[in-house]
Amino acid sequence: MKIDFVAGALPYAQQLGWKVVLLGPRWKLPFFSKEKGGNGVNDATSDPDQIHTWGSVCPNGNVGIACGPASGILVLDVGPRNGGHSSIRALVAKGDHFPKVPRARTGNGGWHLLY
């Protein structure tokens, strides 16, 4: 599957107002490391010109989304290798409620729940 960074990032930035950051291809870390002058999640932007610039540098990069105040969202990472599914089931069994929210499948078979 070919990744197109710009096509993936622009809808988040333009339609939702979320701040995005260029991640390395098939990777979860920022493309521009601190050694290369990057500032990690602090580089995140919703500026289309910057997104196009990043896309010209690394057209097949992954899209990262800055969570928290930057984009106004919180993401709960339910990862199976760290017992996330078991933790959620245990919390539900104790009576905790998890509302239905948008979610995205992760590469390791888990979920990102968006609040």
Side-chain angles (χ1 to χ4, degrees), residues 59-84:
N60 61 339
N62 278 341
V63 177
I65 298 172
C67 299
S71 294
I73 60 172
L74 173 96
V75 176
L76 177 61
D77 184 359
V78 183
R81 74 172 165 235
N82 297 316

Side-chain angles (χ1 to χ4, degrees), residues 83-106:
H85 292 103
S86 299
S87 295
I88 293 289
R89 280 194 292 277
L91 289 167
V92 169
K94 287 179 13 181
D96 289 321
H97 176 69
F98 288 87
K100 291 190 183 235
V101 296
R103 63 184 179 170
R105 179 66 85 178
T106 64

Side-chain angles (χ1 to χ4, degrees), residues 28-71:
K28 297 190 235 180
L29 297 175
F31 182 78
F32 297 106
S33 67
K34 290 193 180 202
E35 294 78 27
K36 293 181 182 177
N39 295 301
V41 73
N42 294 318
D43 286 336
T45 185
S46 56
D47 176 35
D49 292 334
Q50 182 61 58
I51 292 168
H52 280 283
T53 298
W54 285 341
S56 67
V57 172
C58 183
N60 61 339
N62 278 341
V63 177
I65 298 172
C67 299
S71 294

